[in-house]
């Protein structure tokens, strides 16, 4: 794959510093088995890059559980409660601005409960449309979630914090006027910019999240995803991590977590 001048220059700086950028991969909106999901899982299997599936807890959960049961290298996180927009106005979100923390918690728990059949589930929440309600973090914290994931932040990578945050930064798609591939140069230049941001802040280890949406990829998006991931595996300045390593949690919920809701004792 052809790189861009900006990425080439930035990668050279990282190499000179002996640093490696930490990438992770989140795919949104799975809620049932599908041909597109099969293609996504195949892509992950071919590269062995760890995949985090952000699953909407409404849909064919038993079917999805069966599809994922014998798949390795994939973990599941909660993507919203039902992916319905309850906002008026421009910015979409599941939770109206005037909802209390108790209302958020009740909705979060209902969604969490519907995910319990799925294998390799992590107590991590990722809000649809990356919408961060003012009371979301407190609600997640008080329910005992291990982490959350939205867009654009340098995040908190665990290390003692009780609610780790690992965001996504590189969107494979552009959305205005219909979902389609963002473009090779735009995406690689975004990667260079994210690397530069971390280098300049001295936060070399802050993860860089790639965001995909398997249900709406066009062919160009699929082709780039495969080419980029294969190429990245040969780059010394880039390494892929699974979300559990990024946020420092095991990629398995324990029995207590499964049966008793989210709240559990900390390891
Ligand atoms: Zn979504």
């Amino acid at each position: 794959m052809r790189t861009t001048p900006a990425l080439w220059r930035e990668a050279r700086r990282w190499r000179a510093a002996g640093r490696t950028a930490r990438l992770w991969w989140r795919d949104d909106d799975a809620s049932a088995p599908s041909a597109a999901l099969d293609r996504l899982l195949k892509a992950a299997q071919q590269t062995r890059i760890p995949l985090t599936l952000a699953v909407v807890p409404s849909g064919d959960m038993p079917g999805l559980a069966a599809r994922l049961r014998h798949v390795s290298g994939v973990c599941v996180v909660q993507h919203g409660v039902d992916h319905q927009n309850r906002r008026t106005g421009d910015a979409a979100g599941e939770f109206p601005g005037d909802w209390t923390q108790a209302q958020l918690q009740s909705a979060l728990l209902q969604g969490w409960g519907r995910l319990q059949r799925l294998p390799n589930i992590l107590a991590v929440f990722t809000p649809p449309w990356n919408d961060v309600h003012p009371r979301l973090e407190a609600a997640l914290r008080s329910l005992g979630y291990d982490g959350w994931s939205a867009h654009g932040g340098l995040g908190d990578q665990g290390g003692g914090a009780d609610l780790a945050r690992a965001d996504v930064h590189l969107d494979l798609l552009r959305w205005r006027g219909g979902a389609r591939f963002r473009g090779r140069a735009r995406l690689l230049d975004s990667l260079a910019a994210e690397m530069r941001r971390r280098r300049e802040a001295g936060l070399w280890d802050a993860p860089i999240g790639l965001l995909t949406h398997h249900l709406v990829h066009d062919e160009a998006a699929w082709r780039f995803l495969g080419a980029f991931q294969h190429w990245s595996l040969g780059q010394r300045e880039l390494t892929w991590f699974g979300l559990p390593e990024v946020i420092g949690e095991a990629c398995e919920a324990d029995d207590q977590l499964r049966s008793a809701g989210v709240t559990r004792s900390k390891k």
Side-chain angles (χ1 to χ4, degrees):
M1 193 194 66
R2 225 160 19 99
T3 182
T4 63
L7 182 56
W8 186 82
R9 279 195 303 272
E10 188 59 33
R12 220 168 48 154
R13 292 203 166 95
W14 282 64
R15 199 177 319 145
R19 298 286 185 164
T20 305
R22 294 158 58 91
L23 304 179
W24 76 284
W25 177 17
R26 188 183 107 197
D27 181 275
D28 283 6
D29 295 346
S31 66
S34 65
L37 180 65
D38 289 345
R39 191 166 180 181
L40 182 82
L41 295 174
K42 192 173 167 198
Q45 235 79 89
Q46 281 172 347
T47 56
R48 299 180 180 231
I49 290 174
L51 169 63
T52 297
L53 276 185
V55 171
V56 182
S58 62
D60 181 8
M61 293 299 107
L64 190 58
R67 178 64 186 86
L68 296 177
R69 186 138 296 134
H70 301 295
V71 176
S72 62
V74 175
C75 65
V76 169
V77 299
Q78 180 180 349
H79 188 44
V81 298
D82 57 10
H83 220 295
Q84 299 298 313
N85 181 17
R86 295 183 185 79
R87 291 275 178 75
T88 49
D90 284 348
E94 289 185 314
F95 308 129
D98 62 354
W99 273 25
T100 63
Q101 186 179 327
Q103 283 175 297
L104 258 68
Q105 288 181 199
S106 159
L108 288 166
L109 270 184
Q110 279 176 27
W112 174 255
R114 289 193 294 268
L115 289 177
Q116 297 313 302
R117 289 164 178 263
L118 299 176
N120 294 325
I121 179 169
L122 280 175
V124 170
F125 184 80
T126 173
W129 306 285
N130 293 303
D131 171 63
V132 178
H133 188 280
R135 283 171 284 283
L136 177 62
E137 187 172 4
L140 295 170
R141 202 181 286 277
S142 86
L143 287 172
Y145 280 83
D146 290 324
W148 62 313
S149 173
H151 183 269
L154 289 179
D156 177 281
Q157 302 142 58
D162 60 355
L163 189 66
R165 178 165 175 174
D167 280 359
V168 289
H169 308 86
L170 309 174
D171 194 334
L172 183 67
L173 304 179
R174 53 197 299 194
W175 295 89
R176 202 171 298 215
R180 62 201 189 282
F181 175 46
R182 179 169 295 275
R184 181 190 69 89
R186 276 169 187 264
L187 209 98
L188 296 182
D189 282 350
S190 299
L191 173 57
E194 292 297 336
M195 290 171 71
R196 178 177 174 180
R197 182 180 168 203
R198 283 154 183 74
R199 174 172 57 79
E200 290 179 346
L203 296 170
W204 301 89
D205 289 336
I208 301 172
L210 171 68
L211 177 63
T212 63
H213 285 83
H214 65 282
L215 292 171
V216 291
H217 288 181
D218 55 16
E219 271 308 307
W222 283 117
R223 268 201 308 276
F224 176 85
L225 180 64
F228 171 69
Q229 291 191 324
H230 276 105
W231 169 83
S232 69
L233 294 172
Q235 307 302 307
R236 261 186 300 161
E237 300 78 42
L238 304 173
T239 321
W240 292 90
F241 289 86
L243 183 59
E245 296 155 285
V246 172
I247 68 163
E249 288 289 337
C251 189
E252 274 177 18
D254 53 47
D255 292 342
Q256 190 187 352
L257 179 60
R258 284 171 188 279
S259 58
V262 180
T263 304
R264 64 188 168 106
S265 59
K266 291 283 169 183
K267 287 191 275 289

